[in-house]
Amino acid sequence: KTSLDDKESSGINAEYGAVREYLCLRAYLDTHQAYNDWCSHSANRPTTPTFEGGEGGTFSEQVAVEEKKKSHELAMQRWEQHLIVQTQLTRDKMLNVLLFIDGGWMIDEVDTGDVERREQLESLRRVCIPSTTFLLVNVLTESGQDAAVVELADYLASEQYQLYTLFTKEELRRFLVRVYESSIRCGCDPLGFNEPVAEEQLAEDN
């Protein structure tokens, strides 16, 4: 009976692991879809039209120019509003991967003892987590959300998530440079961290 129970438990764990793996992959694909949508919208900023026939033109020409300006202003407002929404969506999708629930992205909640699988998932995390982080930094920087970039450093330094362990020293250096640049722009602490030990912790623990 014990052997049968073990097999049933193992089968349940395998099924649960497969579902969790699917959710992890789905979340990762969603980040890239959101990022592509963000890039597409950012690149389609309304072009500023030429306003000929304004001052010095006829009354009809002046009215036409004013209507053209108003139309452009409305188009810019709609574009900016959509960009804010798309930026927030992209940020949320990426944080969903970086801070994935119940242990982390591509980490089995139940250790099956499969060393090869654990190593494969670890290799995947070492590729996807840093790349997602840098994509998020790009999105936040281009959107003028430097304070959010600084906040991202706290997530990376957190012992709860231990994301810093997935970065090479060069990747950490690049990330810290981006955080430093953002901290200067937004007037935060020059190191970009709420706690002064965080930068040392990131370097030493890697």
Side-chain angles (χ1 to χ4, degrees), residues 1 6 8 20 45 57-58 64 67 77 93 95 104 106 109 122 125 142 176-177 192 195 197 203:
K1 184 176 180 181
D6 289 343
E8 290 179 353
R20 179 177 172 82
R45 179 188 179 96
T58 65
E67 290 297 324
Q77 289 176 4
K93 295 288 186 183
L95 284 178
M106 280 300 183
E109 275 194 90
E122 179 71 7
R125 281 167 54 77
E142 292 296 325
L176 291 173
V177 168
E195 299 181 7
V197 299

Side-chain angles (χ1 to χ4, degrees), residues 3-191:
S3 177
L4 182 60
D5 289 342
D6 289 343
K7 288 182 179 179
E8 290 179 353
S9 177
S10 177
I12 292 173
N13 289 339
E15 290 178 6
Y16 180 79
V19 172
R20 179 177 172 82
E21 184 173 330
Y22 167 78
L23 293 176
C24 287
L25 291 174
R26 182 71 263 173
Y28 184 71
L29 292 175
D30 285 346
T31 66
H32 280 268
Q33 182 61 57
Y35 180 73
N36 289 337
D37 291 343
W38 179 84
C39 289
S40 176
H41 184 70
S42 297
N44 287 317
R45 179 188 179 96
T47 56
T48 303
T50 55
F51 301 112
E52 297 179 356
E55 294 183 9
T58 65
F59 177 74
S60 297
E61 289 174 338
Q62 291 180 26
V63 170
V65 167
E66 287 302 316
E67 290 297 324
K68 205 172 184 181
K69 288 181 178 179
K70 289 180 181 178
S71 177
H72 176 65
E73 289 173 359
L74 288 174
M76 279 300 300
Q77 289 176 4
R78 288 194 295 268
W79 180 82
E80 289 172 351
Q81 290 170 356
H82 189 182
L83 182 61
I84 291 173
V85 171
Q86 188 59 49
T87 298
Q88 185 62 43
L89 175 64
T90 304
R91 176 180 180 273
D92 290 346
K93 295 288 186 183
M94 290 185 173
L95 284 178
N96 185 39
V97 168
L98 298 179
L99 312 178
F100 203 83
I101 60 172
D102 297 331
W105 187 78
M106 280 300 183
I107 292 181
D108 290 330
E109 275 194 90
V110 180
D111 188 0
T112 61
D114 189 335
V115 177
E116 183 178 359
R117 171 179 170 78
R118 188 162 58 244
E119 291 177 347
Q120 289 175 344
L121 294 181
E122 179 71 7
S123 297
L124 196 59
R125 281 167 54 77
R126 288 184 178 279
V127 171
C128 296
I129 294 299
S131 67
T132 299
T133 300
F134 283 112
L135 286 180
L136 179 54
V137 170
N138 290 340
V139 170
L140 296 175
T141 301
E142 292 296 325
S143 303
Q145 298 186 28
D146 288 299
V149 175
V150 176
E151 181 184 5
L152 187 59
D154 291 330
Y155 290 133
L156 229 70
S158 169
E159 282 300 320
Q160 178 183 353
Y161 303 108
Q162 298 187 2
L163 298 177
Y164 59 85
T165 64
L166 302 172
F167 286 66
T168 64
K169 289 185 178 180
E170 174 59 22
E171 288 170 337
L172 281 177
R173 187 196 67 79
R174 286 170 47 209
F175 176 75
L176 291 173
V177 168
R178 299 294 298 273
V179 171
Y180 177 78
E181 292 171 348
S182 289
S183 70
I184 296 299
R185 284 193 294 268
C186 70
C188 300
D189 180 86
L191 292 179

